[in-house]
Amino acid sequence: MRTRLSRALPAAVAVLAVFSALPVSAATAAVREPVPYASPVDHPSYIVTVRRDLDPADVARLVGVTPVHVFDTALHGFAARLNPAQVAALAALPGVETIEEDGTASAG
């Protein structure tokens, strides 16, 4: 059965009136501010890139690391908290391309 516009329009207007009467603060009250990332004090976080023919998670496991994140789109590698010995061990592996301490980047 088809609903006539003359019957549906008053109901739609009533629903819109209820939502438009809500205060803006009620709609945004549950939104929390993002918490900035802070790397642990004991080991800094690094981003490690590896050759495309290697599995980044396998490379991390070779030095006893559990990746925080594995990248496979723009970068091919992983992010992990590394101690100095793990950084040195990764640097010695032939398939590791870069090891960069994680930080903030800005343009210009």
Side-chain angles (χ1 to χ4, degrees), residues 7-8 18 37-38 56 70 73-74 76-77 80 85 92 105:
R7 282 195 223 160
V18 169
Y37 172 77
V70 175
T73 305
H76 189 71

Side-chain angles (χ1 to χ4, degrees), residues 13-77:
V13 169
V15 169
L16 287 174
V18 169
F19 282 110
S20 65
L22 290 175
V24 174
S25 61
T28 59
V31 177
R32 295 183 185 170
E33 288 294 318
V35 177
Y37 172 77
S39 89
V41 177
D42 57 344
H43 302 303
S45 181
Y46 288 85
I47 296 176
V48 180
T49 58
V50 300
R51 286 191 333 236
R52 288 267 173 203
D53 62 329
L54 298 175
D55 179 5
D58 287 344
V59 173
R61 279 191 286 276
L62 286 174
V63 295
V65 174
T66 301
V68 174
H69 186 78
V70 175
F71 303 102
D72 60 1
T73 305
L75 295 175
H76 189 71

